[in-house]
Amino acid sequence: MTEKSMYLPDECWELIFNSFDNDRHFEFPSLVCHRFLSITNQLRRTLTITNQVVHSLHALLRRFQNLKEIEIRNFMGDLDSLLFEISQFNLDLESIDFSKHKLFPCLGLRELGPKMRNLRVLNCSNVRFLQDSDVISIGFAFPFLEELDISYPNYSDSYCPDGLYSSPRCLSECHVTDAGIVELSLKLPNLRKIILSGNRFVTDKSLASLLVNCLLLEEIGVRDCDFITQKGIGTVLRLCPNLSSLSLNRVTVPCADSLFEDSFAFAKNLRELDLSHSSANDKLLCGLAKAYLPLKKLSFSCCRNISCAGTSFVLYNYRFLAYLDLEGVRFLSDEILLGLSMFLQNLTFINLNFCSKLTNLAFFTITRSCPLLSDIRMERTSLGTQDLPMDFAVNNKVKSLSLSANPNLGDECLKKIAFTCPNLQVLDVSRCPRITDEGISEILSSCCEIRHLEINHCIGIGNFIIDCQLPCLEVLRAQGPVINDGVLALLAERSPGLLHLDLESCVNVTTTGIKKIVANCIKLREINLKWCNNVSLDIVAWMVFSRPSLRRIVPPRDIVSSESRRNFFLLHGCFVDDSGRKPL
């Protein structure tokens, strides 16, 4: 084949690279040639900024000029300064996420705002000491914002941002209140989504201001908002014509007042409804069922007052549901689930966690009756009890199973699950003590597409055999004494694409096994060796220099090292994370 016949125009290569499911897959094609490097640079849309990349941030921002989304994660430095540096580049960002940071970066956003006029999404959830002034500054900085998440701000029990002990006055000043939300709503006329969950001083007044000033509003989240009432929610359902998603909990629904129940009939565009941990009852379910909404996603998680009859009525009227969450629903049993399954033909996700009455029959019922299911969650149930059915229906759609903490789940049931779900990609069977090497070996042999496996603290596993290639395996979490050097040697040989390896407390692993993994897994990005006491500390420096792909290492024990040594590792692109460690 001639060189000319192998040529493809850049547009074709862009189509090929855009077929990748994640930007991180651009890394290896970019090393092939300067042309691929140039193409992937132009296609890169997202960037995650952590401590280990801060030293090269200037070069990264200059290199990726078409970035649209930036996520700031596990960053311990000055967030205001970081946002100021981002603002110096001619980027056209659409989304910024700096959730879980210590303080709100008011100065940084003020600098960033005028230069990011197309920013549409801002996530600052779990930020410490969020106040009205911070919320108002968001409105000033980004007047065209469409999605805002200010959920679950993290407040200290004893201190305010200035370090003073809390007082009633200090508490009112250090929280988000109606005053802040009212002012915010006046500045964001294009707002389509707002998550207020966890802001405990917000009341129905905030909802009223959002309805009046944000006429395009489609999604509202008010979970754990103590002063939001059923009257306020009823008003939203009646007066928000574009409402497509509503998430709430702990909203008291008085039995004698039908306002809330009747309000569902007005929400003609509602597609997602989350009533988790609410006092929803059968009367409310009756009103919901009679509304005939275009619901696709429904959650009754931990709703203690609903019955089988009420739930059946809802599911009978909403047979096109794709997502159903029944976690912790007490009445659910194998027989009841069997009856409900005839209404669940279109489900792609179901959550049955903490439904303690569900056994093997429940699992194989839903895999047979729900042909589109891709994600099943059955943690802390009675899976593994009762006899296994004699005939099994293969479900090729199931991709993810979360089955952790099922004390009765054993090898025989796991083998049948592997046969039933041959295209499984994600499996979590952590804390299932009856699973042994035989069961895990069967999973790896039968499910060749497995890419994410969690077997944390499975005390029955000791030395499972990997007798097949695992080209898709990217994540293995095996905390506790479930892995040894022999398994690591096979893993290194059969799983060259491994990205994340969690071996916390694997006391049977030694330096020899770790070296084999690091030497053979050329894409390895993260490894956790916390409390692997038979692994030498000297291996940390060896790993940093031997495997350039590594971005984060949790060492076996505390490393008493200088700041210059830590920064030296960072210069090589790897963050050695031994902060906040506790002794054994």
Side-chain angles (χ1 to χ4, degrees):
M1 184 179 292
T2 65
E3 183 178 345
K4 184 176 181 180
S5 66
M6 295 177 63
Y7 174 79
L8 286 176
D10 287 357
E11 291 78 6
C12 291
W13 284 116
E14 287 182 10
L15 290 173
I16 293 171
F17 294 147
N18 274 327
S19 68
F20 295 171
D21 60 359
N22 196 296
D23 281 359
R24 60 180 169 80
H25 295 304
F26 291 162
E27 182 175 347
F28 288 93
S30 70
L31 299 175
V32 173
C33 61
H34 287 293
R35 184 177 172 216
F36 282 7
L37 175 63
S38 176
I39 294 173
T40 54
N41 283 351
Q42 294 300 313
L43 294 178
R44 183 75 178 257
R45 295 292 183 267
T46 63
L47 177 65
T48 299
I49 300 175
T50 59
N51 277 344
Q52 52 264 53
V53 303
V54 167
H55 68 281
S56 58
L57 181 61
H58 187 89
L60 289 172
L61 295 177
R62 187 174 60 225
R63 174 181 173 184
F64 303 120
Q65 286 294 302
N66 292 319
L67 287 177
K68 295 298 181 183
E69 302 177 13
I70 286 183
E71 179 186 0
I72 305 170
R73 186 177 64 188
N74 298 327
F75 176 67
M76 307 302 292
D78 186 342
L79 194 54
D80 281 307
S81 298
L82 180 63
L83 293 178
F84 179 81
E85 183 174 359
I86 294 173
S87 71
Q88 304 308 301
F89 292 82
N90 189 29
L91 299 175
D92 186 23
L93 294 180
E94 297 176 357
S95 174
I96 294 180
D97 181 345
F98 56 85
S99 54
K100 300 181 182 179
H101 281 273
K102 291 184 177 180
L103 292 175
F104 185 83
C106 188
L107 297 177
L109 291 183
R110 188 180 303 169
E111 183 68 27
L112 197 66
K115 301 177 182 180
M116 301 291 172
R117 307 304 292 178
N118 289 322
L119 194 79
R120 296 294 182 262
V121 180
L122 182 64
N123 184 351
C124 43
S125 60
N126 292 277
V127 171
R128 292 189 69 190
F129 303 119
L130 194 69
Q131 307 172 64
D132 281 340
S133 58
D134 300 327
V135 172
I136 294 171
S137 69
I138 292 174
F140 278 114
F142 306 109
F144 302 107
L145 206 63
E146 295 181 1
E147 299 183 16
L148 176 62
D149 188 345
I150 55 172
S151 61
Y152 295 101
N154 183 8
Y155 299 109
S156 169
D157 293 333
S158 302
Y159 294 95
C160 288
D162 57 8
L164 300 176
Y165 283 98
S166 62
S167 63
R169 179 180 178 183
C170 181
L171 285 173
S172 63
E173 292 175 351
C174 294
H175 288 70
V176 175
T177 67
D178 290 334
I181 300 302
V182 170
E183 191 69 22
L184 176 74
S185 68
L186 292 169
K187 293 177 172 58
L188 299 180
N190 297 323
L191 197 64
R192 295 178 181 273
K193 174 181 179 179
I194 185 166
I195 308 299
L196 298 172
S197 300
N199 286 284
R200 299 185 179 277
F201 284 79
V202 167
T203 74
D204 290 347
K205 183 178 179 181
S206 291
L207 293 181
S209 65
L210 289 167
L211 292 178
V212 171
N213 299 314
C214 305
L215 300 181
L216 302 178
L217 202 59
E218 298 176 358
E219 299 183 44
I220 300 176
V222 287
R223 294 171 59 83
D224 298 309
C225 294
D226 297 342
F227 296 107
I228 296 291
T229 69
Q230 57 90 23
K231 182 178 180 180
I233 297 299
T235 302
V236 168
L237 291 168
R238 289 171 177 265
L239 301 181
C240 190
N242 299 315
L243 187 67
S244 64
S245 177
L246 179 62
S247 176
L248 59 113
N249 67 348
R250 299 178 185 174
V251 174
T252 302
V253 184
C255 295
D257 190 349
S258 62
L259 174 65
F260 191 15
E261 294 89 331
D262 294 342
S263 296
F264 283 113
F266 294 85
K268 295 302 184 182
N269 292 308
L270 193 63
R271 290 172 173 78
E272 299 181 4
L273 179 62
D274 185 348
L275 296 171
S276 301
H277 295 272
S278 71
S279 60
N281 51 37
D282 282 354
K283 185 179 179 182
L284 182 146
L285 296 190
C286 182
L288 176 61
K290 291 179 179 179
Y292 295 104
L293 305 175
L295 282 178
K296 296 294 183 182
K297 181 176 179 179
L298 184 59
S299 176
F300 292 143
S301 173
C302 299
C303 289
R304 306 300 188 189
N305 299 323
I306 61 176
S307 71
C308 176
T311 304
S312 298
F313 189 23
V314 169
L315 297 182
Y316 175 80
N317 282 6
Y318 293 108
R319 300 193 184 196
F320 291 97
L321 281 177
Y323 181 110
L324 180 61
D325 187 346
L326 297 175
E327 178 174 316
V329 173
R330 294 177 177 177
F331 66 78
L332 209 56
S333 66
D334 290 345
E335 293 73 18
I336 291 175
L337 187 63
L338 180 62
L340 296 178
S341 65
M342 67 181 69
F343 311 135
L344 307 178
Q345 299 292 309
N346 292 284
L347 276 191
T348 60
F349 171 96
I350 189 168
N351 182 2
L352 301 171
N353 292 347
F354 294 94
C355 295
S356 58
K357 299 177 184 178
L358 299 184
T359 71
N360 292 336
L361 181 60
F363 179 86
F364 293 104
T365 292
I366 58 176
T367 52
R368 177 192 296 274
S369 303
C370 307
L372 302 180
L373 263 181
S374 63
D375 191 338
I376 303 173
R377 303 186 182 182
M378 285 187 66
E379 300 178 7
R380 296 183 183 275
T381 66
S382 293
L383 183 63
T385 59
Q386 301 296 332
D387 294 334
L388 291 167
M390 297 301 295
D391 56 331
F392 298 89
V394 173
N395 189 322
N396 290 312
K397 293 290 186 178
V398 176
K399 305 294 184 184
S400 177
L401 293 178
S402 183
L403 309 177
S404 66
N406 281 296
N408 298 304
L409 178 59
D411 291 341
E412 290 306 311
C413 184
L414 196 60
K415 290 177 183 179
K416 299 301 183 184
I417 289 174
F419 176 82
T420 303
C421 310
N423 294 328
L424 196 61
Q425 296 180 5
V426 179
L427 176 64
D428 183 0
V429 288
S430 299
R431 295 178 175 82
C432 294
R434 295 187 61 188
I435 291 177
T436 71
D437 309 328
E438 183 180 352
I440 296 301
S441 297
E442 183 68 24
I443 282 287
L444 296 177
S445 299
S446 302
C447 304
C448 57
E449 296 183 20
I450 198 87
R451 60 178 178 81
H452 184 123
L453 178 63
E454 298 196 28
I455 51 175
N456 299 315
H457 305 290
C458 288
I459 58 176
I461 299 174
N463 187 27
F464 60 89
I465 302 299
I466 303 176
D467 56 3
C468 59
Q469 293 296 321
L470 300 172
C472 299
L473 188 62
E474 295 181 342
V475 179
L476 177 61
R477 305 194 187 282
Q479 296 183 7
V482 299
I483 294 285
N484 56 33
D485 284 351
V487 176
L488 286 184
L490 291 172
L491 192 65
E493 178 185 343
R494 305 293 173 87
S495 306
L498 199 63
L499 299 176
H500 303 274
L501 182 60
D502 186 352
L503 299 175
E504 182 174 315
S505 300
C506 284
V507 294
N508 297 321
V509 166
T510 71
T511 304
T512 301
I514 298 301
K515 283 190 172 183
K516 289 181 180 179
I517 281 287
V518 173
N520 289 357
C521 297
I522 61 175
K523 298 181 181 180
L524 192 63
R525 298 181 69 85
E526 293 190 18
I527 185 168
N528 180 7
L529 302 175
K530 184 178 181 181
W531 298 338
C532 293
N533 296 330
N534 289 315
V535 176
S536 170
L537 286 176
D538 295 337
I539 199 175
V540 173
W542 178 85
M543 287 192 291
V544 171
F545 299 120
S546 299
R547 181 52 56 219
S549 63
L550 274 171
R551 296 292 179 265
R552 179 173 178 263
I553 298 173
V554 179
R557 296 173 295 282
D558 291 331
I559 297 179
V560 181
S561 61
S562 64
E563 190 67 22
S564 60
R565 182 178 174 86
R566 189 185 305 276
N567 290 335
F568 183 68
F569 288 146
L570 282 174
L571 286 173
H572 286 78
C574 188
F575 177 49
V576 178
D577 186 3
D578 61 346
S579 58
R581 300 177 60 80
K582 298 180 180 179
L584 280 170

